[in-house]
Amino acid sequence: MHFHKYEKIWLTFGLSMIVVFLTVLGIGAFAMGTAPPGHHQTQVDPEKVEQVAPFNNPGITKIGDNEYEAIMVGKIFSYLPSNMTVPVGATVHFSITSPDVVHGFQIVGTNVNAMVVPGEVNHISHKFTKPGTYLILCNEYCGTGHEFMSTTITVV
């Protein structure tokens, strides 16, 4: 089989790039111990979410100087608690899970965006520096009433 000069150059270049890629990947994985993110999230039995602390009493509590913890449950077409209020400059640590299906957790106007998987507890923190009412939406389709799944956090 006869290869043209330019075909040989591109084949050599392509194969050498594959070799370089696999070498870098191998060094990272074996020599440096690099690995994909593991499963380090807290888990809760999805069938018992509403019976297990702290999700049996969802709400927002002050845990420090201008620091709050929001325990939330995303369940079919609603978030618990329904509305929350914090002062300007507050850092809110959200812990959220779901007992039923996959939901989304997005605070509109911020970079907070997470998937809420049944039985998995997501921990997200955000500092609210501007006053206003922030809408929290489900951005993962969760059923026929999905468009009604929202809550608010008011920053005063």
Side-chain angles (χ1 to χ4, degrees), residues 9 19 21 29 31 36 41 56 66 82 89 92 97-98 103 115 153:
I9 292 172
V19 169
F21 172 75
Q41 292 183 325
N56 59 346
N66 219 15
S82 59
V92 180
T97 190
S98 168
H103 296 285
M115 247 175 140
I153 185 161

Side-chain angles (χ1 to χ4, degrees), residues 88-156:
V88 174
T91 300
V92 180
H93 305 284
F94 296 95
S95 294
I96 184 166
T97 190
S98 168
D100 45 33
V101 297
V102 174
H103 296 285
F105 181 79
Q106 178 184 13
I107 303 176
V108 177
T110 69
N111 63 350
V112 175
N113 188 4
M115 247 175 140
V116 182
V117 179
E120 300 284 332
V121 180
N122 270 330
H123 302 283
I124 308 157
S125 295
H126 184 71
K127 184 173 185 173
F128 292 91
T129 57
K130 295 180 183 175
T133 301
Y134 292 82
L135 184 62
I136 299 174
L137 293 175
C138 175
N139 58 1
E140 292 286 333
Y141 183 72
C142 57
T144 55
H146 163 73
E147 65 273 11
F148 302 113
M149 188 170 176
S150 68
T151 188
T152 59
I153 185 161
T154 305
V155 180
V156 292

